[in-house]
Every structure is written in structure tokens, then in C-alpha cells.
Amino acid sequence: MVNFSLKGKVALVTGAAYGIGFAIAQALAEAGAQIAFNCRSTEHLETAKAAYARLGIPVRGYICDVTKEDEVARMVADIEEHLGVIDILVNNAGIIKRIPMTEMKVEEFRQVVDIDLTAPFIVSKAVIPGMIKKGHGKIINVCSMMSELGRETVSAYAAAKGGLKMLTRNIASEYGEYNIQCNGIGPGYIATPQTAPLREKQADGSRHPFDSFIISKTPAARWGTPEDLMGPAVFLASDASDFVNGHILYVDGGILAYIGKQPK
Ligand code: NAP
Ligand code: GCO
């Protein structure tokens, strides 16, 4: 029988204080997993813990910056001690900086690459040895439309998310023989705090031009919601996807399939 259950599994979802990470952690918990999550701000941590509690989801929450190898090592050790060896890692924590490339400081570029690409390497490196010992593991990297496409102002983000797609394929290639599957989820345009500036109403109450642009580029004719990522995440975390490896599952309402509306 097809098995989507995550009962008895331990999952770490990075950056799951709100937004996409929160919805993915909720979905994994509802499928039976025990959840650990992290973020950087104490305020976000406390608000998130209260939100998980309202849903009846027990969590272990950590203040941990995923770019810091020592903080990640301490968090992973604590999860192993209190919940057990991690079965499922979701590399979700990420940031974006929308700055034209010629105006972007190299430190800003590096910060985006550090959080969006180097950190998934750091956290995966910390959990893979436990997965090898346990005989299985699932790593899900949260990629992007920008793993495939470019646009003005997001050079660092696109470079990082394109790199994350290839890190995904490389982890799959390097550790597939240990029964570790590493796949990506590529969300389309999802309504979260990260994309809020692109949806802000104009002074006259009309839609932001980028908001209308995204709706016109999306066959589903709407922004995605964090909830749209829940089913795909459970699939990629479960035994049902044991022969799916190195794949990026785009959850984009059809954006990547679409050439755009023909002119009238
Ligand atoms: P978000 O609303 O800005 O949430 C980001 C989360 O990551 C927060 O919990 C944040 O908490 C945490 N975080 C950021 N940097 C961190 C760090 N260095 N260490 C630990 N935690 C950190 O973002 P989102 O829109 O949900 O996006 C989640 C992921 O999906 C990101 O990788 C993003 O690039 C990707 N994505 C988003 C969209 C979209 O349309 N929204 C589409 C495709 C892909 P703290 O601030 O407290 O650290
Ligand atoms: C942007 C957006 C994105 C999305 C997402 C698309 O400014 O173009 O913020 O890049 O958040 O990653 O999949």
C-alpha cells in the first residue's frame, strides 16, 4: 500500500517561524512527524511556538543561524538527543535582496548566497552522517522559479537558487546509494512576508503592477499560498517518493509551462 505516513519520523525544517516553512512543518506534523525548527529572532521563535501550540503541534524550536556551522552542529546534536536522529531535513530558510546588479554591494551578494546556498550545504552536511547510520533519509531543498529563470534585481538570489538546484542533484548523486533521497520544491510566487513588497497596494488602492504581472504569468491566475506546498512536501518526505531522487518539483500554478498570454 502506498505510504504517505511520517509516523515516528523526526523532521527539521529550517526557517519555519512563518511563511512557507511554517506550512511545511505543519504538513509534516499532520502526517505524523515530530518537528524541530529554527529561526534567528527570539520574537519570531516565540510567536511561532504559540502558533504551533494553537494547532496542537508539539515542536522543538531553536535560535540558530543556518550560516553558522557551530550553531547548526549544536542544534542537530540537541535534536538527536531529545527527538532522535533526523529522518527529514527541509532546507527552507532563505532571504532575497532586490537590488539592480550594478548597484549591489559584494557583501549583499555574499549574504544572499550564504543563506540561500551555503547554509543548505552546512545543514545537509550536519545531518547526512546520521541518515547514513540510520539507513535512510530525505532532504528537501526549497528552490525557486529563479532556479530556472532570471529577472531584474535578483542576481544573487537567482545565482543561489540555481546553485541550490545543482546541490540537490549532487547530494542525490553522492548519497543515493545510502538510501538518501534529496529533492527540491520550486515554489512559484507565494504570498508570504518575503513577497509582501511585490503585492503592496498602490496609493489609489489598485493592485501593485508586479502583482498583476504575476497573475498574468500564472495559468492558475493567482498567487500561491504556503498551503499549496503542503502536499508536495509530504510526498517528498514520505516513503511514497523513495525512487524519486535529484528532482525539482515545481509548485508554480503552471508558470514554467506557460509562454504567456497572446496579445489581443
Ligand atoms: P519568509 O516569509 O521571509 O520566511 C523566512 C524564514 O526563514 C523565517 O522563518 C526567517 O526567520 C528564517 N530565516 C531567514 N534567514 C535565516 C537564517 N540565516 N537562519 C535561520 N533562519 C532564517 O520566506 P518565505 O517566503 O516563507 O520563503 C521560504 C523559502 O522559500 C525561502 O528559501 C525562499 O527563498 C523560498 N521561496 C519563496 C517563494 C515565495 O514566493 N515566497 C517562492 C519560491 C521560493 P528569522 O527572520 O527569524 O530568521
Ligand atoms: C522575486 C520574488 C521571487 C520569489 C520566488 C519565485 O522578487 O522575483 O521574490 O524570486 O520569491 O522565489 O519562485
Side-chain angles (χ1 to χ4, degrees), residues 1-227:
M1 206 175 88
V2 65
N3 187 7
F4 291 104
S5 170
L6 303 180
K7 218 170 171 25
K9 309 275 188 194
V10 176
L12 166 61
V13 186
T14 68
Y18 48 84
I20 290 172
F22 185 93
I24 289 178
Q26 181 187 341
L28 302 187
E30 286 170 358
Q34 289 180 274
I35 303 296
F37 81 99
N38 70 298
C39 60
R40 294 164 302 179
S41 130
T42 312
E43 192 191 332
H44 294 161
L45 183 80
E46 292 313 321
T47 315
K49 278 184 176 170
Y52 285 115
R54 278 196 298 279
L55 292 169
I57 296 172
V59 288
R60 284 190 79 81
Y62 297 86
I63 290 294
C64 168
D65 182 336
V66 283
T67 64
K68 307 266 166 53
E69 209 168 4
D70 54 337
E71 291 185 23
V72 169
R74 275 200 296 278
M75 171 174 69
V76 169
D78 194 84
I79 295 169
E80 287 186 358
E81 186 185 333
H82 291 96
L83 299 181
V85 171
I86 294 166
D87 302 277
I88 301 159
L89 164 65
V90 184
N91 281 311
N92 166 79
I95 61 159
I96 192 166
K97 286 186 189 292
R98 299 180 186 97
I99 305 170
M101 189 174 141
T102 51
E103 291 165 28
M104 191 172 212
K105 295 190 182 76
V106 71
E107 298 76 43
E108 292 168 326
F109 188 93
R110 284 200 177 115
Q111 195 198 353
V112 174
V113 172
D114 212 23
I115 297 179
D116 293 0
L117 177 58
T118 311
F121 159 78
I122 290 173
V123 189
S124 302
K125 185 183 160 194
V127 304
I128 286 170
M131 290 176 168
I132 292 175
K133 276 197 211 118
K134 215 168 180 180
H136 75 92
K138 298 278 186 183
I139 299 177
I140 302 171
N141 290 328
V142 180
C143 296
S144 165
M145 294 293 88
M146 273 60 213
S147 300
E148 301 292 338
L149 303 171
R151 84 170 188 84
E152 303 85 343
T153 73
V154 299
S155 58
Y157 187 78
K161 292 295 186 177
L164 186 57
K165 173 179 72 176
M166 286 313 300
L167 179 66
T168 303
R169 291 182 180 160
N170 211 82
I171 293 173
S173 306
E174 201 163 344
Y175 296 103
E177 66 175 303
Y178 298 101
N179 193 23
I180 293 172
Q181 290 84 47
C182 180
N183 292 290
I185 287 183
Y189 278 78
I190 310 296
T192 69
Q194 191 197 80
T195 53
L198 307 175
R199 283 175 286 104
E200 247 166 37
K201 289 249 186 306
Q202 302 289 84
D204 64 1
S206 62
R207 278 182 188 280
H208 191 296
F210 199 89
D211 184 352
S212 310
F213 166 67
I214 286 305
I215 289 170
S216 75
K217 289 289 285 177
T218 309
R222 66 168 176 87
W223 283 70
T225 65
E227 290 70 31

